[in-house]
Amino acid sequence: MRYSQLLLPTLKENPAEAEVVSHRLLLRAGFIRKLTSGVYSYLPLGLAAIRKVEQIVREEMNRAGAQELLLPVVQPADLWKESGRWEKYGPELLRFKDRHNRESCLGPTHEEVITDLVRMNVHSYRSLPLNLYQIQTKFRDEIRPRFGLMRGREFIMKDGYSFDIDEDGANVTYRKMYDAYHRIFSRCGLSFRAVEADTGTIGGSFSHEFMVLAETGEDTLAICKSDDDKCGYAANLEKAAGAAPQPAEPEVEMLPLEKVETPGKRKVVAVTAFLDISPKQLVKTMVYLADGKPLAVLVRGDHEVQEVKLKNMLGAVDVELADDKQIFDATGVPSGYLGPVGIRIPVVADREIAVMRNFVVGGGEKNYHLLNANLGRDFEVEQIGDLREVTAGDHCPRCSGELEFTKGIEVGHIFKLGTAYSEALNATCLDGKGREKHFVMGCYGIGVSRTVAAAIEQNHDKDGIIFPMPITPFKVVVLNLSPDDKEITSAAEQVYNGLREQGIEVLLDDRDERPGIKFKDVDLIGIPYRVTVGKGFAKDGTVEVRERRHGRTETMPLAEAAAFLLERIDREMATLNG
RNA sequence: CGGGGCGUAGCGCAGCCUGGUUAGCGCGCCUGCCUUGGGAGCAGGAGGUCGGAGGUUCGAAUCCUCUCGCCCCGACCA
């Protein structure tokens, strides 16, 4: 490709709308342009990078035995009503009516459509396992789209769905996908980690997220840092559990409940300072609205409620923290003094509370707290479970190691769905004994456009993008520094053509621009290798080959450049494909 | 939806508080000269419903009301 013919509108300055680095660089490097909030046009280079990721995904999915197909974007409401998600999915599902007033939606995910397709066409266990995937534009009307391609409303996703006759088969398929995902992100040249995750709106029993490690990640990961990674426990903070709390030994005796005046002390820090105790000796009473109904949640003073865990325990669609007025309306107690003793709304407790003795709680009236409260003696709760967020210093649930935290970008998510969808849509086939069975399903997503953004988050410097070799739009750029000079131009063309003949994707910068502009532009767009044909060639017939990532530069005769690059590129690709 | 901020040329911004003739600056773009190994220089030029509607006023980018859009923090998620 010749730069002079390419739509590649680079920007010198950072667009005001872009905050995170991948967003800034994607805009500056002329890869994307925004149409409206969360909706982007992919320009030729942006699309080229996406196509690279798609191709790797395709190869690895096919290698793992999956088949590619393409499902409709527009989907009838009836199917979603059948699965129950027309009501459950919420406003993220973009709904509309067609000219006949039929309700429809834009597909945010395709469990319904694929399950319908399979139930209509697969009737025997002999056809299983079946693993189908597509690479397609998805639309989710996100509450808050942001960070360019990181969280768009319209984005490109690979979504795959598997169908097995039984749980064992589904586990084998899940494992295959787990391995395929490792290969995919390795081949993309990314540093990533698979973590245990919450299943979210997709539902199902078990899942892993694939996280690209980057500071700008929206997710927090808890990783066990036991020696040499032996344990390997890693989980999304939404899911991460600490080691189970141990009761004190010997058993601490319960002291008499005592009411104390704590005037104006509402926050944990204020109460504990006033009473001269540690936050670990206090239990806070948080009020949530679970699907609109008030509920008190007890956690230790130094802990925070993990809302996803709470939601899962309650089986609620939505939980949100109540405000002061809602707390007072529901309990008759002003916020800050609410406690579980004598409370008039249901209470659930974090499991830590069960092993605590003689703790401080709100007094149930303004300006009072209670000392020496104890679960079972002074109050009861409806449910006890793991409801808190793990914190630094918590120990791994599997081994004794400490947990540490890091930020990640979710680029892939795999789920064991079980029979949730096949039952809802009554999708069955016959097993070897002629019995009707619901398909045991799995689903497997990769954010293709997000993967490109994540790669940039992880690979850039002050001058621009530094593409990993497998997903770069061009592997080499040839700079013709003197388009007016016949000899230099013909030399640049020679390298360019030589590389093209070898099947290397190469960009020839043949623009009539000053050298500085060319250097800046090609640094910005992040092509791994640059060949400069300029005054060096005029002097002694040499060209300069420079590596984008480390800036290492070598000068060599023109004739050697193509072979040199070919060898380097092959070596790098081989390492990643390893 | 709650909280914060912003809409003036393709991009980045000033002007607005305190209303006053042809609305500015830098970059980019076009023409010419010149220059050619890290975003040069000179000269000339094109490009604007000041997000939109309504109002106040002799007069509105500027003041008021409404509205639309965008960005950031939270709930959502590939």
Side-chain angles (χ1 to χ4, degrees), chain A residues 56-171:
Chain A
I56 291 170
V57 168
R58 199 169 264 130
E59 286 170 17
E60 291 302 334
M61 290 301 290
N62 292 348
R63 170 145 73 149
Q67 304 171 55
E68 185 170 6
L69 46 56
L70 188 56
L71 302 168
V73 175
V74 172
Q75 307 181 6
D78 290 350
L79 253 187
W80 285 74
K81 287 178 177 165
E82 201 179 341
S83 74
R85 285 208 293 184
W86 187 254
E87 290 75 31
K88 258 198 255 169
Y89 210 94
E92 211 175 291
L93 183 63
L94 185 64
R95 301 153 210 248
F96 58 94
K97 287 181 178 166
D98 70 12
R99 69 198 308 168
H100 302 295
N101 221 27
R102 286 184 291 234
E103 289 185 297
S104 306
C105 62
L106 291 184
T109 176
H110 284 66
E111 284 81 7
E112 280 79 0
V113 174
I114 195 86
T115 306
D116 178 60
L117 182 76
V118 169
R119 75 178 166 181
M120 304 294 272
N121 295 285
V122 178
H123 308 290
S124 162
Y125 75 99
R126 292 174 202 270
S127 310
L128 304 182
L130 190 59
N131 194 346
L132 304 166
Y133 75 97
Q134 61 172 340
I135 297 173
Q136 185 205 43
T137 295
K138 292 280 186 283
F139 193 93
R140 296 183 185 175
D141 201 356
E142 290 279 344
I143 297 167
R144 185 153 86 87
R146 57 185 150 170
F147 304 155
L149 295 192
M150 291 260 265
R151 180 178 298 282
R153 292 192 296 163
E154 187 176 302
F155 60 98
I156 297 174
M157 178 174 171
K158 185 285 292 185
D159 50 324
Y161 307 89
S162 67
F163 298 82
D164 278 273
I165 192 65
D166 56 23
E167 197 67 26
D168 288 348
N171 288 338

Side-chain angles (χ1 to χ4, degrees), chain A residues 435-455:
Chain A
R435 293 175 303 202
E436 202 168 54
K437 295 276 184 180
H438 286 111
F439 295 103
V440 181
M441 295 172 56
C443 89
Y444 317 96
I446 289 178
V448 172
S449 41
R450 180 184 283 178
T451 299
V452 172

Side-chain angles (χ1 to χ4, degrees), chain A residues 209-223:
Chain A
E209 287 169 336
F210 287 76
M211 295 285 190
V212 167
L213 305 177
E215 264 316 297
T216 39
E218 294 182 271
D219 288 278
T220 302
L221 320 179
I223 295 175

Side-chain angles (χ1 to χ4, degrees), chain A residues 303-372:
Chain A
H303 289 156
E304 297 301 330
V305 176
Q306 174 32 261
E307 293 182 13
V308 173
K309 289 182 180 177
L310 176 63
K311 196 156 102 177
N312 289 342
M313 183 169 103
L314 300 172
V317 174
D318 179 58
V319 300
E320 67 178 317
L321 199 55
D323 62 30
D324 287 358
K325 183 177 181 303
Q326 290 164 333
I327 292 173
F328 189 79
D329 289 350
T331 65
V333 179
S335 91
Y337 303 102
L338 186 63
V341 181
I343 196 168
R344 43 186 224 221
I345 57 174
V347 181
V348 297
D350 179 55
R351 58 185 180 171
E352 200 81 36
I353 310 302
V355 301
M356 290 175 69
R357 283 291 174 271
N358 303 322
F359 44 86
V360 173
V361 295
E365 62 179 291
K366 191 170 178 186
N367 294 337
Y368 284 97
H369 278 76
L370 295 174
L371 307 184
N372 302 325

Side-chain angles (χ1 to χ4, degrees), chain A residues 407-468:
Chain A
K407 290 282 181 183
I409 301 164
E410 180 187 354
V411 289
H413 200 163
I414 60 177
F415 303 78
K416 272 170 66 178
L417 292 175
T419 52
Y421 289 90
S422 52
E423 282 181 31
L425 297 177
N426 197 29
T428 61
C429 72
L430 296 180
D431 71 6
K433 297 192 174 119
R435 293 175 303 202
E436 202 168 54
K437 295 276 184 180
H438 286 111
F439 295 103
V440 181
M441 295 172 56
C443 89
Y444 317 96
I446 289 178
V448 172
S449 41
R450 180 184 283 178
T451 299
V452 172
I456 293 171
E457 289 293 333
Q458 212 172 59
N459 297 280
H460 66 271
D461 64 14
K462 65 172 174 39
D463 294 317
I465 303 168
I466 305 172
F467 266 113

Side-chain angles (χ1 to χ4, degrees), chain A residues 457-505:
Chain A
E457 289 293 333
Q458 212 172 59
N459 297 280
H460 66 271
D461 64 14
K462 65 172 174 39
D463 294 317
I465 303 168
I466 305 172
F467 266 113
M469 189 61 79
I471 63 173
T472 180
F474 295 101
K475 292 189 165 52
V476 180
V477 56
V478 177
L479 294 193
N480 174 358
L481 288 192
S482 302
D484 292 340
D485 182 310
K486 263 188 155 171
E487 300 213 341
I488 287 176
T489 297
S490 116
E493 299 270 348
Q494 196 183 320
V495 184
Y496 170 64
N497 287 322
L499 288 164
R500 286 212 306 170
E501 280 159 20
Q502 297 290 335
I504 301 289
E505 293 123 330

